[in-house]
Amino acid sequence: MSDDAEQNSRDNSFGNNGAIADVDVASMNDGRALVPPVTRSGDVISPTRAVLTLSKSMFNAGCFSLPFAWKLGGLWVSFVMSFVIAGFNWYGNHILVRASQHLAKKSERSALDYGHFAKKVCDYSDIRFLRNNSKAVMYVVNVTILFYQLGMCSVAILFISDNMVNLLGEHVAGDQHGKMTVMATVTLVFILATNMFTEMRVVSAFALISSVFFIIGAAVIMQFTVRQPNQWRSLPASTNFTGTIMMIGMSMYSFEGQTMILPVENKLETPEAFLAPNGVLPTTMIICTCFMTALGFYGYTGFGDKIAPTITTNVPKEGLYSTINVFLMLQSMLGHSIAMYVVFDMFFNGFRRKFSARFPNCPKFLVDKGFRVFWVMVTYSMAVLIPKLEIMIPLVGVTSGTLCALVYPPIFEMITFWTDWKGLLTYRERMCKIALNCFVICVGFFAIAAVYTDSNVEIVPEGCDCRDWYGACRREGEKWIDDETWVYQCNRQDGSDATFVGCATSTPTNVQIPVGSNKTLGPLWHSCDANTLRLKYDSEPHCLVKREVKKVRSEFRDGRFQWLCLETGRWVVGCYYANETHPDAYLKIGEHGYNGLIKHVCDRYADYPGRVQYYAEVRKDVHVKHPTNKGINKNFPEPADLRIQDKVGRWLHESASMFIANEEILRGKVRYLPASRRQWPTGDH
């Protein structure tokens, strides 16, 4: 049936029997008028407080990396993409709430969290597979949100502890990680206190206070930024595909409040106010979009190519500006409880029901507080125990956040309203809605795939001034030795590779040789060289015997054996024994000498000629009597049997018969720079 015929048939049906049509429309699951004007009671919040709470969940430390993201994407491409990304997030959040309110009404529930909403979508679906696996779908959604929230909370602890180390680190003993652990432990006390409250009204109050601190810190940064000479005319309009993808990923991560949409809507006093034209969601998205676009634009045009991975680094540290980090620390501390509210809201009721069934005598107060303490301790443990967490979490955040904002909502909307659309929309309208949702889903998967498949794409974490050989983040001014030889130093703030500055010698003191030079240390020379293909450290060939350096071509005695030092190692060239006239009689390998009835032999093993041995025995060509009743003949020396004990393989070549492998530290190293290893992306790449 054509579109016009379908529309005429539907119009005729409604026109021939208006009363029946009215009843049918009223009885349908109308997706256009989902929620009746009802008012919730109890633990509810007003639309104004809902806007503050939702806005605070969007505004976090990730916002201050937006100017750097604009540098990666180019000025005008980033400007346009900021509105596009905001539009996609707005659309995903809108259809999510719309479908959730519809299913809440249909299932006669006051509200649905994200996990139970996903379950209801499957329960009311016409697809048997979804109905049979509704719990599995709920678990997948819950795990996605759990990873996202725990990641944000653990990064908040890292952010707070890192700034506390910068402010108070000189008063704490230990290395950098130890200081951060101490500061994170101090922070834990306050975070535990803010997470003990169960009501949304208290959480929204925390959001209000946190927003005040955030606004003060952001205002100080913005006023300094706008007073800088504007460079918009000289900045590139676009960069490249890799930089644009990185910009999209970082911007997606800046909208950190996707998982707070349903918890806030569930506690809103008037649900219809959430999606109203001037309601909670439109107001929040407009505020967030304008602020993030302004911060990205003025931050990038104010500092240009000198913009740091986080704009707080570009702001002075003295005077009024020294308070910025304090304000941001306080807002992050309060923001932790806002993010954790999602976890508590989703999992606590199910946990309490199962725990109380098994332990009915356990006080409810203890169950509630113990559950909260457990999850807060999980975020604390992640922050202090997982190495390089600040690099991993943004990638997980982009994945989980994109799934919650651009993938799950379109899928759930199509499943929820599939039957309704057949009765309310024309074929063309249905196809347009389905095509739009499929396009949003494809954009979401493309963003996730691009972040993981492009070898250069990674969200730049806080304090990532340089990259080391393995891609890990380093701070400006940091200097380190890699693989016990290669010396690197971070002297920039653009997230690119650290500078190779020299080589550490293999001597016990690890003296550093500047790149492109050579230096004499003691009896040996050392050199360090680098080009576009490789790094090279070399030292004068030598042998190290009992911590004493032996020059090449020199012979030396070590116990019973005479050695020759060559570039390839130490070679045994003879043995020593004592006779009546000389305490150090010399034998070459394969020779033997006599001292009375005693035969002294310097020879090699028959089976393993790489092993040299010295031994002494009674001569066999002279008959010597040993009376059995006279005991041991004291005129003979004790039998001697000295063998080189170093393990060597079977030597097949005659020239190797006297070689003993030199297992000392290698005198030279080469690190090749493969062409496949590209520079970590900056604004210049």
Side-chain angles (χ1 to χ4, degrees), residues 436-473:
L436 176 60
N437 283 339
C438 290
F439 175 72
V440 174
I441 294 170
C442 292
V443 169
F445 280 122
F446 172 78
I448 295 173
V451 168
Y452 282 97
T453 56
D454 194 296
S455 60
N456 276 349
V457 175
E458 182 178 3
I459 306 306
V460 179
E462 184 78 16
C464 191
D465 298 331
C466 296
R467 303 281 186 171
D468 63 16
W469 173 258
Y470 309 100
C473 290

mmCIF file of all heavy atoms in Angstrom, residues 436-473:
data_model
loop_
_atom_site.group_PDB
_atom_site.id
_atom_site.type_symbol
_atom_site.label_atom_id
_atom_site.label_comp_id
_atom_site.label_asym_id
_atom_site.label_seq_id
_atom_site.Cartn_x
_atom_site.Cartn_y
_atom_site.Cartn_z
ATOM 1 N N LEU A 436 16.428 8.105 11.392
ATOM 2 C CA LEU A 436 17.123 9.023 12.290
ATOM 3 C C LEU A 436 17.750 8.277 13.460
ATOM 4 O O LEU A 436 18.916 8.508 13.817
ATOM 5 C CB LEU A 436 16.148 10.084 12.798
ATOM 6 C CG LEU A 436 16.713 11.073 13.834
ATOM 7 C CD1 LEU A 436 17.887 11.846 13.259
ATOM 8 C CD2 LEU A 436 15.616 12.023 14.317
ATOM 9 N N ASN A 437 16.989 7.363 14.055
ATOM 10 C CA ASN A 437 17.526 6.606 15.184
ATOM 11 C C ASN A 437 18.686 5.712 14.765
ATOM 12 O O ASN A 437 19.686 5.589 15.487
ATOM 13 C CB ASN A 437 16.421 5.766 15.823
ATOM 14 C CG ASN A 437 15.494 6.597 16.693
ATOM 15 O OD1 ASN A 437 15.855 7.677 17.134
ATOM 16 N ND2 ASN A 437 14.289 6.104 16.926
ATOM 17 N N CYS A 438 18.557 5.085 13.610
ATOM 18 C CA CYS A 438 19.657 4.241 13.129
ATOM 19 C C CYS A 438 20.907 5.078 12.850
ATOM 20 O O CYS A 438 22.039 4.638 13.107
ATOM 21 C CB CYS A 438 19.233 3.488 11.871
ATOM 22 S SG CYS A 438 17.993 2.203 12.168
ATOM 23 N N PHE A 439 20.705 6.284 12.333
ATOM 24 C CA PHE A 439 21.845 7.167 12.081
ATOM 25 C C PHE A 439 22.535 7.543 13.389
ATOM 26 O O PHE A 439 23.770 7.530 13.479
ATOM 27 C CB PHE A 439 21.368 8.423 11.353
ATOM 28 C CG PHE A 439 22.456 9.448 11.149
ATOM 29 C CD1 PHE A 439 23.468 9.232 10.223
ATOM 30 C CD2 PHE A 439 22.471 10.624 11.884
ATOM 31 C CE1 PHE A 439 24.476 10.166 10.037
ATOM 32 C CE2 PHE A 439 23.468 11.561 11.709
ATOM 33 C CZ PHE A 439 24.477 11.333 10.780
ATOM 34 N N VAL A 440 21.757 7.854 14.423
ATOM 35 C CA VAL A 440 22.341 8.200 15.721
ATOM 36 C C VAL A 440 23.105 7.009 16.294
ATOM 37 O O VAL A 440 24.205 7.157 16.845
ATOM 38 C CB VAL A 440 21.239 8.669 16.692
ATOM 39 C CG1 VAL A 440 21.817 8.886 18.088
ATOM 40 C CG2 VAL A 440 20.602 9.958 16.195
ATOM 41 N N ILE A 441 22.539 5.812 16.153
ATOM 42 C CA ILE A 441 23.225 4.609 16.643
ATOM 43 C C ILE A 441 24.547 4.411 15.908
ATOM 44 O O ILE A 441 25.583 4.115 16.523
ATOM 45 C CB ILE A 441 22.319 3.375 16.467
ATOM 46 C CG1 ILE A 441 21.090 3.486 17.367
ATOM 47 C CG2 ILE A 441 23.085 2.092 16.787
ATOM 48 C CD1 ILE A 441 20.036 2.437 17.084
ATOM 49 N N CYS A 442 24.529 4.591 14.589
ATOM 50 C CA CYS A 442 25.761 4.436 13.807
ATOM 51 C C CYS A 442 26.807 5.465 14.214
ATOM 52 O O CYS A 442 28.004 5.155 14.296
ATOM 53 C CB CYS A 442 25.452 4.551 12.318
ATOM 54 S SG CYS A 442 24.480 3.178 11.657
ATOM 55 N N VAL A 443 26.364 6.696 14.468
ATOM 56 C CA VAL A 443 27.300 7.727 14.920
ATOM 57 C C VAL A 443 27.928 7.326 16.251
ATOM 58 O O VAL A 443 29.136 7.488 16.469
ATOM 59 C CB VAL A 443 26.585 9.088 15.043
ATOM 60 C CG1 VAL A 443 27.473 10.101 15.760
ATOM 61 C CG2 VAL A 443 26.206 9.608 13.671
ATOM 62 N N GLY A 444 27.114 6.778 17.152
ATOM 63 C CA GLY A 444 27.640 6.342 18.441
ATOM 64 C C GLY A 444 28.678 5.247 18.299
ATOM 65 O O GLY A 444 29.770 5.324 18.880
ATOM 66 N N PHE A 445 28.374 4.221 17.516
ATOM 67 C CA PHE A 445 29.335 3.134 17.325
ATOM 68 C C PHE A 445 30.577 3.619 16.578
ATOM 69 O O PHE A 445 31.695 3.163 16.854
ATOM 70 C CB PHE A 445 28.680 1.978 16.568
ATOM 71 C CG PHE A 445 27.836 1.095 17.439
ATOM 72 C CD1 PHE A 445 26.489 0.905 17.163
ATOM 73 C CD2 PHE A 445 28.374 0.457 18.545
ATOM 74 C CE1 PHE A 445 25.704 0.090 17.963
ATOM 75 C CE2 PHE A 445 27.600 -0.358 19.356
ATOM 76 C CZ PHE A 445 26.257 -0.544 19.065
ATOM 77 N N PHE A 446 30.389 4.532 15.640
ATOM 78 C CA PHE A 446 31.543 5.064 14.920
ATOM 79 C C PHE A 446 32.470 5.816 15.870
ATOM 80 O O PHE A 446 33.698 5.679 15.794
ATOM 81 C CB PHE A 446 31.075 5.995 13.805
ATOM 82 C CG PHE A 446 32.202 6.737 13.137
ATOM 83 C CD1 PHE A 446 33.010 6.106 12.208
ATOM 84 C CD2 PHE A 446 32.456 8.065 13.443
ATOM 85 C CE1 PHE A 446 34.054 6.786 11.602
ATOM 86 C CE2 PHE A 446 33.490 8.752 12.843
ATOM 87 C CZ PHE A 446 34.296 8.107 11.913
ATOM 88 N N ALA A 447 31.888 6.604 16.769
ATOM 89 C CA ALA A 447 32.712 7.349 17.729
ATOM 90 C C ALA A 447 33.496 6.403 18.627
ATOM 91 O O ALA A 447 34.683 6.615 18.906
ATOM 92 C CB ALA A 447 31.829 8.273 18.564
ATOM 93 N N ILE A 448 32.848 5.327 19.080
ATOM 94 C CA ILE A 448 33.537 4.363 19.940
ATOM 95 C C ILE A 448 34.641 3.650 19.172
ATOM 96 O O ILE A 448 35.777 3.518 19.647
ATOM 97 C CB ILE A 448 32.532 3.345 20.505
ATOM 98 C CG1 ILE A 448 31.522 4.048 21.425
ATOM 99 C CG2 ILE A 448 33.253 2.241 21.270
ATOM 100 C CD1 ILE A 448 30.395 3.152 21.883
ATOM 101 N N ALA A 449 34.313 3.191 17.954
ATOM 102 C CA ALA A 449 35.300 2.454 17.159
ATOM 103 C C ALA A 449 36.483 3.335 16.795
ATOM 104 O O ALA A 449 37.634 2.888 16.822
ATOM 105 C CB ALA A 449 34.639 1.903 15.898
ATOM 106 N N ALA A 450 36.213 4.596 16.466
ATOM 107 C CA ALA A 450 37.301 5.488 16.070
ATOM 108 C C ALA A 450 38.267 5.722 17.217
ATOM 109 O O ALA A 450 39.480 5.802 17.026
ATOM 110 C CB ALA A 450 36.730 6.815 15.575
ATOM 111 N N VAL A 451 37.740 5.820 18.433
ATOM 112 C CA VAL A 451 38.597 6.058 19.592
ATOM 113 C C VAL A 451 39.546 4.891 19.818
ATOM 114 O O VAL A 451 40.717 5.064 20.150
ATOM 115 C CB VAL A 451 37.735 6.306 20.852
ATOM 116 C CG1 VAL A 451 38.586 6.269 22.105
ATOM 117 C CG2 VAL A 451 37.037 7.649 20.744
ATOM 118 N N TYR A 452 39.066 3.657 19.592
ATOM 119 C CA TYR A 452 39.878 2.488 19.910
ATOM 120 C C TYR A 452 40.718 1.995 18.740
ATOM 121 O O TYR A 452 41.772 1.397 18.949
ATOM 122 C CB TYR A 452 38.978 1.346 20.386
ATOM 123 C CG TYR A 452 38.521 1.515 21.815
ATOM 124 C CD1 TYR A 452 37.278 2.058 22.108
ATOM 125 C CD2 TYR A 452 39.341 1.156 22.873
ATOM 126 C CE1 TYR A 452 36.861 2.224 23.415
ATOM 127 C CE2 TYR A 452 38.935 1.318 24.183
ATOM 128 C CZ TYR A 452 37.694 1.850 24.448
ATOM 129 O OH TYR A 452 37.288 2.014 25.743
ATOM 130 N N THR A 453 40.260 2.202 17.512
ATOM 131 C CA THR A 453 40.984 1.636 16.381
ATOM 132 C C THR A 453 42.077 2.542 15.868
ATOM 133 O O THR A 453 43.090 2.064 15.363
ATOM 134 C CB THR A 453 40.021 1.326 15.221
ATOM 135 O OG1 THR A 453 39.307 2.521 14.852
ATOM 136 C CG2 THR A 453 39.022 0.266 15.634
ATOM 137 N N ASP A 454 41.918 3.849 15.960
ATOM 138 C CA ASP A 454 42.984 4.742 15.516
ATOM 139 C C ASP A 454 44.113 4.694 16.532
ATOM 140 O O ASP A 454 43.928 4.967 17.702
ATOM 141 C CB ASP A 454 42.464 6.174 15.377
ATOM 142 C CG ASP A 454 43.442 7.045 14.606
ATOM 143 O OD1 ASP A 454 44.561 7.245 15.105
ATOM 144 O OD2 ASP A 454 43.076 7.514 13.516
ATOM 145 N N SER A 455 45.301 4.338 16.071
ATOM 146 C CA SER A 455 46.413 4.117 16.995
ATOM 147 C C SER A 455 46.831 5.372 17.724
ATOM 148 O O SER A 455 47.528 5.309 18.724
ATOM 149 C CB SER A 455 47.626 3.570 16.225
ATOM 150 O OG SER A 455 48.035 4.494 15.229
ATOM 151 N N ASN A 456 46.437 6.532 17.223
ATOM 152 C CA ASN A 456 46.850 7.771 17.867
ATOM 153 C C ASN A 456 45.773 8.373 18.744
ATOM 154 O O ASN A 456 45.996 9.392 19.371
ATOM 155 C CB ASN A 456 47.225 8.817 16.812
ATOM 156 C CG ASN A 456 48.642 8.636 16.348
ATOM 157 O OD1 ASN A 456 49.397 7.886 16.937
ATOM 158 N ND2 ASN A 456 48.999 9.316 15.282
ATOM 159 N N VAL A 457 44.595 7.800 18.787
ATOM 160 C CA VAL A 457 43.500 8.449 19.487
ATOM 161 C C VAL A 457 43.467 7.992 20.929
ATOM 162 O O VAL A 457 43.347 6.820 21.217
ATOM 163 C CB VAL A 457 42.154 8.135 18.808
ATOM 164 C CG1 VAL A 457 41.009 8.705 19.615
ATOM 165 C CG2 VAL A 457 42.142 8.724 17.414
ATOM 166 N N GLU A 458 43.622 8.940 21.821
ATOM 167 C CA GLU A 458 43.475 8.663 23.241
ATOM 168 C C GLU A 458 43.094 9.957 23.923
ATOM 169 O O GLU A 458 43.600 11.024 23.593
ATOM 170 C CB GLU A 458 44.775 8.130 23.839
ATOM 171 C CG GLU A 458 44.637 7.798 25.297
ATOM 172 C CD GLU A 458 45.926 7.235 25.857
ATOM 173 O OE1 GLU A 458 46.905 7.177 25.126
ATOM 174 O OE2 GLU A 458 45.930 6.878 27.036
ATOM 175 N N ILE A 459 42.191 9.872 24.863
ATOM 176 C CA ILE A 459 41.785 11.068 25.572
ATOM 177 C C ILE A 459 42.932 11.519 26.462
ATOM 178 O O ILE A 459 43.474 10.750 27.241
ATOM 179 C CB ILE A 459 40.541 10.786 26.422
ATOM 180 C CG1 ILE A 459 39.446 10.194 25.542
ATOM 181 C CG2 ILE A 459 40.049 12.045 27.090
ATOM 182 C CD1 ILE A 459 39.113 11.020 24.336
ATOM 183 N N VAL A 460 43.321 12.778 26.345
ATOM 184 C CA VAL A 460 44.454 13.284 27.108
ATOM 185 C C VAL A 460 44.020 13.521 28.545
ATOM 186 O O VAL A 460 43.137 14.324 28.799
ATOM 187 C CB VAL A 460 44.978 14.600 26.502
ATOM 188 C CG1 VAL A 460 46.139 15.127 27.320
ATOM 189 C CG2 VAL A 460 45.399 14.370 25.059
ATOM 190 N N PRO A 461 44.590 12.806 29.505
ATOM 191 C CA PRO A 461 44.173 12.981 30.888
ATOM 192 C C PRO A 461 44.806 14.209 31.518
ATOM 193 O O PRO A 461 45.650 14.877 30.925
ATOM 194 C CB PRO A 461 44.682 11.698 31.557
ATOM 195 C CG PRO A 461 45.874 11.325 30.746
ATOM 196 C CD PRO A 461 45.581 11.760 29.332
ATOM 197 N N GLU A 462 44.405 14.464 32.726
ATOM 198 C CA GLU A 462 44.935 15.596 33.480
ATOM 199 C C GLU A 462 46.434 15.425 33.685
ATOM 200 O O GLU A 462 46.908 14.378 34.097
ATOM 201 C CB GLU A 462 44.227 15.659 34.838
ATOM 202 C CG GLU A 462 44.620 16.848 35.679
ATOM 203 C CD GLU A 462 43.933 18.117 35.224
ATOM 204 O OE1 GLU A 462 42.959 18.015 34.473
ATOM 205 O OE2 GLU A 462 44.377 19.198 35.622
ATOM 206 N N GLY A 463 47.204 16.471 33.371
ATOM 207 C CA GLY A 463 48.637 16.445 33.627
ATOM 208 C C GLY A 463 49.441 15.649 32.623
ATOM 209 O O GLY A 463 50.556 15.250 32.914
ATOM 210 N N CYS A 464 48.906 15.393 31.431
ATOM 211 C CA CYS A 464 49.643 14.619 30.429
ATOM 212 C C CYS A 464 50.419 15.588 29.548
ATOM 213 O O CYS A 464 49.985 15.945 28.458
ATOM 214 C CB CYS A 464 48.686 13.767 29.602
ATOM 215 S SG CYS A 464 49.529 12.561 28.560
ATOM 216 N N ASP A 465 51.577 16.036 30.026
ATOM 217 C CA ASP A 465 52.362 17.012 29.281
ATOM 218 C C ASP A 465 53.181 16.357 28.178
ATOM 219 O O ASP A 465 53.379 16.936 27.119
ATOM 220 C CB ASP A 465 53.293 17.763 30.241
ATOM 221 C CG ASP A 465 52.517 18.545 31.293
ATOM 222 O OD1 ASP A 465 51.383 18.953 30.997
ATOM 223 O OD2 ASP A 465 53.038 18.731 32.409
ATOM 224 N N CYS A 466 53.687 15.139 28.425
ATOM 225 C CA CYS A 466 54.499 14.419 27.446
ATOM 226 C C CYS A 466 54.153 12.936 27.487
ATOM 227 O O CYS A 466 53.523 12.463 28.431
ATOM 228 C CB CYS A 466 56.000 14.578 27.738
ATOM 229 S SG CYS A 466 56.621 16.255 27.595
ATOM 230 N N ARG A 467 54.609 12.231 26.455
ATOM 231 C CA ARG A 467 54.463 10.775 26.404
ATOM 232 C C ARG A 467 55.840 10.130 26.479
ATOM 233 O O ARG A 467 56.785 10.592 25.843
ATOM 234 C CB ARG A 467 53.794 10.350 25.095
ATOM 235 C CG ARG A 467 52.442 10.979 24.860
ATOM 236 C CD ARG A 467 51.384 10.285 25.654
ATOM 237 N NE ARG A 467 50.063 10.784 25.328
ATOM 238 C CZ ARG A 467 48.942 10.239 25.754
ATOM 239 N NH1 ARG A 467 48.977 9.186 26.529
ATOM 240 N NH2 ARG A 467 47.783 10.752 25.423
ATOM 241 N N ASP A 468 55.939 9.044 27.245
ATOM 242 C CA ASP A 468 57.200 8.318 27.252
ATOM 243 C C ASP A 468 57.209 7.291 26.122
ATOM 244 O O ASP A 468 56.312 7.263 25.277
ATOM 245 C CB ASP A 468 57.458 7.677 28.619
ATOM 246 C CG ASP A 468 56.417 6.626 28.985
ATOM 247 O OD1 ASP A 468 55.675 6.175 28.093
ATOM 248 O OD2 ASP A 468 56.354 6.253 30.173
ATOM 249 N N TRP A 469 58.223 6.430 26.094
ATOM 250 C CA TRP A 469 58.396 5.471 24.998
ATOM 251 C C TRP A 469 57.185 4.556 24.856
ATOM 252 O O TRP A 469 56.840 4.121 23.765
ATOM 253 C CB TRP A 469 59.666 4.660 25.256
ATOM 254 C CG TRP A 469 59.891 3.525 24.302
ATOM 255 C CD1 TRP A 469 59.655 2.201 24.531
ATOM 256 C CD2 TRP A 469 60.393 3.611 22.963
ATOM 257 N NE1 TRP A 469 59.981 1.458 23.430
ATOM 258 C CE2 TRP A 469 60.439 2.299 22.443
ATOM 259 C CE3 TRP A 469 60.803 4.657 22.153
ATOM 260 C CZ2 TRP A 469 60.887 2.013 21.165
ATOM 261 C CZ3 TRP A 469 61.246 4.373 20.876
ATOM 262 C CH2 TRP A 469 61.285 3.070 20.394
ATOM 263 N N TYR A 470 56.505 4.267 25.969
ATOM 264 C CA TYR A 470 55.386 3.334 25.958
ATOM 265 C C TYR A 470 54.034 4.037 25.841
ATOM 266 O O TYR A 470 52.996 3.390 25.909
ATOM 267 C CB TYR A 470 55.414 2.484 27.231
ATOM 268 C CG TYR A 470 56.763 1.850 27.457
ATOM 269 C CD1 TYR A 470 57.670 2.407 28.356
ATOM 270 C CD2 TYR A 470 57.152 0.722 26.747
ATOM 271 C CE1 TYR A 470 58.924 1.843 28.552
ATOM 272 C CE2 TYR A 470 58.402 0.152 26.935
ATOM 273 C CZ TYR A 470 59.286 0.718 27.839
ATOM 274 O OH TYR A 470 60.523 0.158 28.014
ATOM 275 N N GLY A 471 54.036 5.368 25.714
ATOM 276 C CA GLY A 471 52.791 6.106 25.568
ATOM 277 C C GLY A 471 52.192 6.585 26.862
ATOM 278 O O GLY A 471 51.136 7.216 26.856
ATOM 279 N N ALA A 472 52.818 6.300 27.994
ATOM 280 C CA ALA A 472 52.293 6.762 29.276
ATOM 281 C C ALA A 472 52.569 8.256 29.451
ATOM 282 O O ALA A 472 53.449 8.826 28.806
ATOM 283 C CB ALA A 472 52.924 5.969 30.420
ATOM 284 N N CYS A 473 51.798 8.877 30.331
ATOM 285 C CA CYS A 473 51.874 10.325 30.509
ATOM 286 C C CYS A 473 52.979 10.711 31.487
ATOM 287 O O CYS A 473 53.221 10.025 32.475
ATOM 288 C CB CYS A 473 50.535 10.863 31.009
ATOM 289 S SG CYS A 473 49.242 10.801 29.763
#
